[in-house]
Amino acid sequence: MTRFAASAARLAGFAGAVLGWAPDVFWRATPAELGAVVAAMMGDTPTPPDAAAIARLQEAFPDG
């Protein structure tokens, strides 16, 4: 189980190193704001294939 303090320290370090946020900026930000910034940095990520798409691919490209 990860404790809040350890998770917060890791996120604060990320925010400082990657986003350039000072500690007071990190602590004033809401989880939604932090999540939105991280999502924007990641850009468009493709949706993983669902079970039906995987089945179609396995049928089209059998391994043996």
Side-chain angles (χ1 to χ4, degrees), residues 5-38:
S7 296
R10 189 171 51 254
L11 283 172
F14 168 83
V18 177
L19 305 176
W21 288 8
D24 63 315
V25 174
F26 171 78
W27 287 110
R28 283 194 321 255
T30 66
E33 291 168 332
L34 180 59
V37 171
V38 171

Side-chain angles (χ1 to χ4, degrees), residues 19-64:
L19 305 176
W21 288 8
D24 63 315
V25 174
F26 171 78
W27 287 110
R28 283 194 321 255
T30 66
E33 291 168 332
L34 180 59
V37 171
V38 171
M41 290 179 66
M42 292 176 59
D44 293 333
T45 55
T47 304
D50 61 11
I54 292 173
R56 286 191 303 276
L57 289 169
Q58 287 174 326
E59 198 171 302
F61 304 99
D63 288 343

